Amino acid sequence: MTDLTNTDLPNIDTHLIHPVDTGKLYRPLSHPPRILLLYGSLRQRSFSRLASEEAARILQFFGAETKTFNPSGLPLPDDSDPDHPKVKELRELAAWAEGMVWCSPERHGAMTGIMKSQIDWIPLNMGGVRPTQGKTLAVMQVCGGSQSFNAVNQMRVLGRWMRMVTIPNQSSVAKAWLEFDDNDRMKPSSYYDRIVDVMEELVKFTLLTRGSKDYFVDRYSERKESQEAFNARINQRSL
């Protein structure tokens, strides 16, 4: 254990900073990893939905429990109250999940508004609980033309903003309309293999982190802020 009394860190409150406890970094849980899948198109033959369905099948093979949110009927952010049935459904799924897959088409060089609306309806803080903090995330996109990475790059930014553990691997399917057969199943290809890679990696990261999520996001600055708020309340009572 590090002795902070002999360390030259005068700006740190030594009562609120702790050495890393390796015993808390992996805590296996008995239930399957819970993965929520979001897709970003409402077209009848939505390739982002079809890609997410393939991803769900692969996740289930790796032992995960999956749920997919249908964004049809979800109001625009701030255009309805949080008690709207579709908003409540999405938020309950976000709370249930231990990891997520976001799959969006690229439209006008960006993720779709449908994809962004779903993310915007998931708050950073809900009833004192951060529903996405410390959970895992895999990002995917489908392209109408040549391969691009604009949508996945944007979703990575959002994943970091939502304090999620966004895994290194990702998938971008070029000319998606050529990659699915008449039964809406994805054809064998390097694009399909990449989705398998991404889902395998997501399950591994989720298994590694989910039991220790609260410990991973236990931060010195927030402990310090909480201590200062507590001290302020105590001082007010003494007035």
Side-chain angles (χ1 to χ4, degrees):
M1 181 176 293
T2 305
D3 182 6
L4 288 177
T5 59
N6 295 324
T7 305
D8 186 19
L9 296 171
N11 296 325
I12 288 182
D13 186 333
T14 57
H15 298 290
L16 297 175
I17 190 169
H18 315 295
V20 173
D21 186 346
T22 56
K24 294 181 179 180
L25 289 178
Y26 179 67
R27 294 183 176 183
L29 301 178
S30 59
H31 64 268
R34 299 168 179 164
I35 307 296
L36 171 63
L37 296 101
L38 306 180
Y39 59 90
S41 169
L42 297 179
R43 296 172 60 188
Q44 183 174 1
R45 194 167 190 244
S46 163
F47 294 111
S48 62
R49 175 178 58 80
L50 295 181
S52 69
E53 289 175 355
E54 290 293 340
R57 294 183 186 100
I58 298 164
L59 288 166
Q60 291 163 17
F61 172 83
F62 286 122
E65 179 182 0
T66 66
K67 294 185 179 181
T68 300
F69 177 72
N70 181 351
S72 180
L74 183 71
L76 290 171
D78 304 324
D79 196 34
S80 183
D81 295 327
D83 60 357
H84 185 284
K86 291 297 291 189
V87 176
K88 289 178 66 177
E89 178 189 356
L90 176 58
R91 292 185 172 189
E92 288 170 1
L93 287 171
W96 166 85
E98 296 167 326
M100 295 189 194
V101 176
W102 295 349
C103 183
S104 177
E106 182 167 315
R107 184 171 295 166
H108 300 312
M111 80 178 79
T112 62
I114 295 166
M115 190 76 239
K116 183 64 161 57
S117 291
Q118 293 175 80
I119 299 168
D120 285 347
W121 269 121
I122 303 173
L124 290 173
N125 190 300
M126 187 168 59
V129 177
R130 290 174 174 150
T132 55
Q133 180 172 237
K135 298 183 178 182
T136 54
L137 172 65
V139 293
M140 300 165 49
Q141 74 171 74
V142 293
C143 310
S146 59
Q147 191 176 47
S148 173
F149 300 93
N150 291 328
V152 288
N153 288 339
Q154 290 176 325
M155 288 187 285
R156 282 190 177 279
V157 171
L158 289 170
R160 289 196 298 272
W161 191 260
M162 303 293 280
R163 297 188 175 185
M164 303 183 77
V165 181
T166 308
I167 67 170
N169 216 337
Q170 62 187 26
S171 169
S172 175
V173 181
K175 296 182 180 178
W177 51 280
L178 291 175
E179 296 302 319
F180 293 85
D181 63 23
D182 293 338
N183 295 316
D184 288 339
R185 294 300 305 271
M186 195 167 182
K187 301 173 185 177
S189 69
S190 60
Y191 295 129
Y192 179 83
D193 292 346
R194 174 58 67 90
I195 292 178
V196 176
D197 289 348
V198 174
M199 295 308 110
E200 182 178 10
E201 188 172 289
L202 176 63
V203 171
K204 290 176 179 177
F205 270 81
T206 305
L207 286 169
L208 181 66
T209 60
R210 63 178 183 157
S212 309
K213 180 177 69 68
D214 292 337
Y215 183 63
F216 270 106
V217 298
D218 180 24
R219 300 179 179 90
Y220 167 74
S221 62
E222 294 179 355
R223 291 194 297 270
K224 182 179 178 184
E225 182 181 17
S226 299
Q227 183 66 47
E228 290 172 348
F230 173 77
N231 291 339
R233 287 198 302 274
I234 296 300
N235 291 337
Q236 287 178 345
R237 291 174 184 173
S238 64
L239 294 177

